[in-house]
Amino acid sequence: MVLKKSLYLLVLILLSGSAGAQINLYVGGNLQGNYSWMRGDEPTFEPGFGGGFSFVYWEYEYWFLKAGINYVAKSSSHLDYPDDYGVPITDPNDKVQISFAEQAIGIPLTLYYRPIESGDNTLLLTGTLEMMLVTHLKEYTEEFGELVLKGGDVTSRTKTNLGFGVGYQRQLDQHMFLNIIPSFNVDIRSARAFNSITLTAELIFGVY
């Protein structure tokens, strides 16, 4: 009889603990639009896009951490030496206007901070470190035409990107949130260094 009562009590404790447990793991997805330019002489400003999957750990009220995987496409042109075309450089003025269209896969690590909250609306501050791998690169010049590089044909494929954002979070349901985040992103280690202004729309929902 005592064992039976103890079992009932244990089940009751477990059920009450589960009912009060806080969901702290979220998954979701994001869509991105970017406006990018390359660091160099006479750069152009051109639109791009991206998207990805998000995995969020949210243990504390005022901050949470996101990892995931992103696909990003950026483009811009600037004056540069046509090294990838195998053209020998004989003069410092041998630069030509080269258009670059780059596609990359990235693994971002983002810290979100929620300093101000009002009802279902929250201010978001974000900082991102993203490791990226270039998967496709297209170059074009009027002098030498188009050059398409894929995979291992791309020299200096790895990139490191830093991003800082100020955005907005809206609670849509008890465990569903929409994040809208404008950010400024900079390639800090890259053979083709892009700067970007990016707008990210991200939907996340709790799973555990």
Side-chain angles (χ1 to χ4, degrees), residues 136-149:
H136 186 277
L137 176 66
K138 183 168 70 175
E139 301 181 28
Y140 175 79
T141 73
E142 291 185 358
E143 295 83 358
F144 305 107
E146 185 176 272
L147 179 65
V148 177
L149 302 173

Side-chain angles (χ1 to χ4, degrees), residues 73-144:
K74 299 177 181 179
S75 60
S76 178
S77 68
H78 72 139
L79 276 177
D80 202 355
Y81 296 111
D83 298 331
D84 291 338
Y85 288 86
V87 177
I89 307 302
T90 58
D91 189 287
N93 297 318
D94 283 346
K95 290 184 176 181
V96 295
Q97 193 77 14
I98 306 177
S99 296
F100 294 86
E102 183 180 88
Q103 301 176 39
I105 299 294
I107 300 176
L109 184 64
T110 303
L111 179 66
Y112 292 73
Y113 179 56
R114 308 168 75 243
I116 301 174
E117 182 177 1
S118 177
D120 295 332
N121 305 300
T122 305
L123 176 69
L124 284 182
L125 304 179
T126 68
T128 299
L129 173 66
E130 186 167 12
M131 305 303 297
M132 308 185 75
L133 183 69
V134 178
T135 60
H136 186 277
L137 176 66
K138 183 168 70 175
E139 301 181 28
Y140 175 79
T141 73
E142 291 185 358
E143 295 83 358
F144 305 107

Side-chain angles (χ1 to χ4, degrees), residues 5-21:
K5 288 183 178 180
S6 300
L7 287 174
Y8 284 145
L9 181 60
L10 179 60
V11 170
L12 182 62
I13 292 173
L14 289 175
L15 288 175
S16 63
S18 299

Side-chain angles (χ1 to χ4, degrees), residues 163-201:
F164 304 93
V166 179
Y168 163 80
Q169 182 179 74
R170 172 76 178 183
Q171 185 170 3
L172 304 177
D173 202 349
Q174 184 178 4
H175 302 298
M176 182 178 294
F177 297 83
L178 175 65
N179 303 325
I180 305 293
I181 308 159
S183 63
F184 178 64
N185 301 80
V186 180
D187 289 338
I188 59 173
R189 190 176 68 83
S190 172
R192 296 161 299 277
F194 283 87
N195 294 340
S196 300
I197 296 173
T198 303
L199 179 63
T200 301

